[in-house]
Amino acid sequence: MAGASDPQSHTPQTPDSGAAGDQPTTVGRQQVESAHSVAIAEGFEGAEGLTGSVPSVHADAVARLAEAQAALAEALAAIPVGLLSDTEAVTALSTVEAIGRAVDAARVKTATDVDRRARVLGRDGLAWKMGCTGPWDVLTRVTRASGREVKRRTKLGDAVLPRPGGGSGWSPPLFPTVGAALTAGEIGVETAELIVTGLQTISHRVAPDDLLTAERALVATAAGRITPETENLAGAGVPAATDLIRGMVLQWQAALDPDGVLPQEDVFEAKSNIGFGQLKNGLYPVKGGVTPELFGMMNTLFDAFLSFHARPAFPTEEEQALMDSGQMIPGAETAGDADSGAGTGPELDVIEAELRERRQDTRTSGEKRADILRALFEHAARDNDTPSMGGSAPTVMVHVNAADLDSGVGVGWIDGVEAPVSLKTVHQRICDGGFQGVLFGENNQVLKLGPERRYFNRAQRRAITARDGGCIIPDCKAPAHWAEVHHVKPWAKDGPTNVDNGVLLCWFHHHTIDTSGWEIRMVKGSPQVRAPGLIDPQRLWRPPNRHRAHQVLTGPPNRD
């Protein structure tokens, strides 16, 4: 461990600690040796290697911990749980939690200190002296905690505590405000981890002063302090719960690094993953994760069905009997209709024969399941039989600042979802669902509520569906009721909302149309598509998927 320290104790020197080699008091030596004998008596292997260590002038501080431990254990055991008044019970809970925060902070400090000592190589290292294989061995043996837990403590300690520098110096902590609040017991380890982890994610893309401002604001909010960073915030001075801090960390990330959401979404959005585990206790566990947009969509639909006035519809006795016998499979009719629409005209048959080997869907099976689930939820939300919420169909509300929308830099927020979504997702939702403008005043009062602009009304959607039949991308079998209506000329560039400028795309192709290489154009009111160069090197415009009703029968059907 770097720094001026007692060579025997590895304790960093302070102005009051004296020079290395000062003789400790007799009392301090007796107390340390007594505490050490307890460790050996408890069966801690490796403690014998430290019996010759010379205690430092700080031995009395360590000895006081043993006294405090005994007194605290006695006080905690004496709490008459179940016999207290309501006020006493709440006070006891608050006091015990405050003690726990202080103890957790000390756990982080001591674990980080021992970890650094144990990383010293050779005979001077603590791990070698104790006969342990390394730092994790030392920490897990002494604390009896899991490797995961000690790693959690030391990782946080390295971020919020002073770090050993070159020579005899110490470098300041990466997050000093978090460290000070943690040591003072104002915030807990969980809150400290949330702040540190969230800010570390954007630290390499944000100015140091801005990062420090966010750190101070988050710590002040969590601790209930009023500071220049929080004095104008709602609820300033009231300590915030950890779950609220989690959402605020995401908001600071979006404010300081708005462009960071888009690359994250490009990496993770298409990788929403749904899978199933092995049958256990009569159930198949669902595994995976979903993106903020899909989470908001699912949650909104769940809330509609689970609301107090709504009751989900169940199969009739006759339908259930048919399902039990295998004569009826829920959803099979829809799937059959989708499959039966495979005929797409002679021109498309030619290109598919040429390009089928080249065309590859890079999504994993789990990602495909997630996209299917998304389409199912969107279809269910449009269904007339879906229960309403507040008198209207369940709608995913996406909020975005008009200035951000105009500049193209910023994020959007979905009601009920903490994580932001990129403007790419916002544009897609507006393209398919429309928007309503709200003008706010200086005091956040609503000055004007604009008219609701619904893009592609039901009549237009029916006409487009009759023309396209489903997603127009070749070889995509998504049916019309799973598809979204896409503006060929973007609405943001004054593209009209009419039948001649709208086409059906499934969510996957709609979400990736600007980056996948597929191109769409309208010719005399009918769409044409051009495949990416990797799929079609000739880059020819081709007829898209079309409704099967457009096929003309040139002869009687084959009855063989």
Side-chain angles (χ1 to χ4, degrees), residues 243 302 310 318 371 438:
D243 288 336
F302 282 142
E318 293 78 11
D371 289 344
V438 183

Side-chain angles (χ1 to χ4, degrees), residues 274-326:
I274 303 294
F276 302 94
Q278 296 294 324
L279 183 66
K280 184 178 181 181
N281 298 328
L283 296 173
Y284 287 97
V286 180
K287 303 185 298 182
V290 296
T291 58
E293 183 195 8
L294 182 53
F295 174 74
M297 198 178 301
M298 295 171 65
N299 232 18
T300 302
L301 197 61
F302 282 142
D303 287 345
F305 276 101
L306 296 176
S307 63
F308 180 77
H309 298 289
R311 294 292 183 270
F314 295 93
T316 64
E317 292 184 4
E318 293 78 11
E319 291 172 337
Q320 188 63 53
L322 291 173
M323 287 188 286
D324 291 341
S325 65

Side-chain angles (χ1 to χ4, degrees), residues 41-80:
E42 290 179 348
F44 174 66
E45 298 179 2
E48 295 84 352
L50 303 178
T51 54
S53 296
V54 178
S56 73
V57 295
H58 303 293
D60 57 334
V62 179
R64 286 198 301 271
L65 287 176
E67 299 174 2
Q69 177 188 4
L72 182 59
E74 182 180 357
L76 294 175
I79 299 175

Side-chain angles (χ1 to χ4, degrees), residues 175-500:
F175 297 93
T177 309
V178 176
L182 183 66
T183 301
E186 294 179 313
I187 63 174
V189 168
E190 187 179 12
T191 300
E193 284 181 318
L194 281 174
I195 297 174
V196 167
T197 303
L199 296 183
Q200 280 180 330
T201 302
I202 61 173
S203 60
H204 61 289
R205 299 190 298 269
V206 176
D209 289 345
D210 292 339
L211 202 68
L212 183 59
T213 298
E215 180 190 358
R216 289 173 175 170
L218 289 167
V219 169
T221 302
R225 298 200 306 257
I226 298 180
T227 67
E229 294 83 10
T230 63
E231 58 185 356
N232 295 322
L233 298 179
V238 179
T242 300
D243 288 336
L244 181 59
I245 297 299
R246 179 180 289 106
M248 294 185 67
V249 169
L250 293 172
Q251 293 178 32
W252 273 105
Q253 287 178 332
L256 296 179
D257 185 33
D259 290 336
V261 176
L262 181 57
Q264 287 185 45
E265 186 182 61
D266 288 341
V267 173
F268 296 112
E269 180 72 19
K271 293 186 179 180
S272 294
N273 199 289
I274 303 294
F276 302 94
Q278 296 294 324
L279 183 66
K280 184 178 181 181
N281 298 328
L283 296 173
Y284 287 97
V286 180
K287 303 185 298 182
V290 296
T291 58
E293 183 195 8
L294 182 53
F295 174 74
M297 198 178 301
M298 295 171 65
N299 232 18
T300 302
L301 197 61
F302 282 142
D303 287 345
F305 276 101
L306 296 176
S307 63
F308 180 77
H309 298 289
R311 294 292 183 270
F314 295 93
T316 64
E317 292 184 4
E318 293 78 11
E319 291 172 337
Q320 188 63 53
L322 291 173
M323 287 188 286
D324 291 341
S325 65
Q327 300 179 56
M328 175 181 175
I329 302 175
E333 295 80 7
T334 300
D337 290 343
D339 292 338
S340 62
T344 51
E347 302 97 336
L348 190 58
D349 289 341
V350 174
I351 185 175
E352 287 194 357
E354 296 174 351
L355 306 178
R356 185 172 287 112
E357 295 299 323
R358 291 169 171 257
R359 185 179 297 116
Q360 293 182 355
D361 191 339
T362 59
R363 291 176 295 170
T364 67
S365 57
E367 292 165 7
K368 291 177 181 178
R369 292 191 195 99
D371 289 344
I372 291 172
L373 182 62
R374 178 193 306 273
L376 286 170
F377 273 98
E378 289 187 339
H379 172 57
R382 297 191 191 105
D383 195 284
N384 293 331
D385 293 331
T386 298
S388 63
M389 295 179 65
S392 60
T395 304
V396 178
M397 301 296 294
V398 184
H399 300 266
V400 64
N401 190 288
D404 293 343
L405 197 63
D406 291 338
S407 67
V409 178
V411 297
W413 302 93
I414 297 177
D415 283 349
V417 183
E418 294 178 339
V421 295
S422 73
L423 288 184
K424 177 181 177 182
T425 295
V426 174
H427 280 288
Q428 182 186 352
R429 302 317 305 174
I430 292 178
C431 178
D432 182 55
F435 71 94
Q436 186 172 23
V438 183
L439 179 64
F440 294 94
E442 293 183 358
N443 298 319
N444 212 36
Q445 73 273 28
V446 177
L447 300 180
K448 180 181 179 181
L449 181 64
E452 183 177 359
R453 296 180 59 181
R454 294 296 301 176
Y455 286 154
F456 298 111
N457 57 37
R458 290 189 177 184
Q460 290 173 317
R461 185 181 179 91
R462 282 196 295 267
I464 294 172
T465 298
R467 183 194 66 206
D468 298 344
C471 180
I472 66 169
I473 299 299
D475 206 32
C476 181
K477 306 302 182 186
H481 56 266
W482 282 12
E484 300 173 350
V485 185
H486 167 68
H487 285 75
V488 177
K489 181 179 180 181
W491 68 273
K493 297 181 179 179
D494 299 324
T497 302
N498 55 36
V499 175
D500 290 341

Side-chain angles (χ1 to χ4, degrees), residues 25-157:
T25 62
T26 304
V27 175
R29 181 188 298 274
Q30 290 174 345
Q31 289 170 332
V32 170
E33 289 178 349
S34 174
H36 179 66
S37 64
V38 172
I40 296 176
E42 290 179 348
F44 174 66
E45 298 179 2
E48 295 84 352
L50 303 178
T51 54
S53 296
V54 178
S56 73
V57 295
H58 303 293
D60 57 334
V62 179
R64 286 198 301 271
L65 287 176
E67 299 174 2
Q69 177 188 4
L72 182 59
E74 182 180 357
L76 294 175
I79 299 175
V81 177
L83 302 178
L84 302 174
S85 67
D86 290 348
T87 301
E88 292 168 340
V90 173
T91 302
L93 173 64
S94 177
T95 303
V96 170
E97 190 62 30
I99 294 172
R101 287 195 297 270
V103 171
D104 284 344
R107 280 175 162 173
V108 170
K109 294 173 66 176
T110 54
T112 305
D113 181 35
V114 170
D115 174 63
R116 291 170 176 174
R117 296 166 185 263
R119 291 186 182 278
V120 176
L121 301 177
R123 294 175 178 269
D124 291 334
L126 184 61
W128 187 91
K129 292 179 180 180
M130 297 180 63
C132 295
T133 58
W136 300 131
D137 194 16
V138 174
L139 290 169
T140 54
R141 283 174 179 269
V142 175
T143 64
R144 307 179 198 173
S146 66
R148 179 181 180 182
E149 176 60 23
V150 296
K151 183 178 181 180
R152 175 193 180 201
R153 297 176 189 175
T154 57
K155 182 179 179 181
L156 179 60

Side-chain angles (χ1 to χ4, degrees), residues 456 463-464 467-468 472 485-490 496 498-504 519-530 541-542 544:
F456 298 111
I464 294 172
R467 183 194 66 206
D468 298 344
I472 66 169
V485 185
H486 167 68
H487 285 75
V488 177
K489 181 179 180 181
N498 55 36
V499 175
D500 290 341
N501 192 47
V503 295
L504 292 186
E519 298 179 45
I520 305 172
R521 71 179 183 183
M522 302 299 293
V523 178
K524 297 181 179 180
S526 181
Q528 292 183 351
V529 296
R530 182 160 65 178
W541 288 100
R542 315 272 186 167

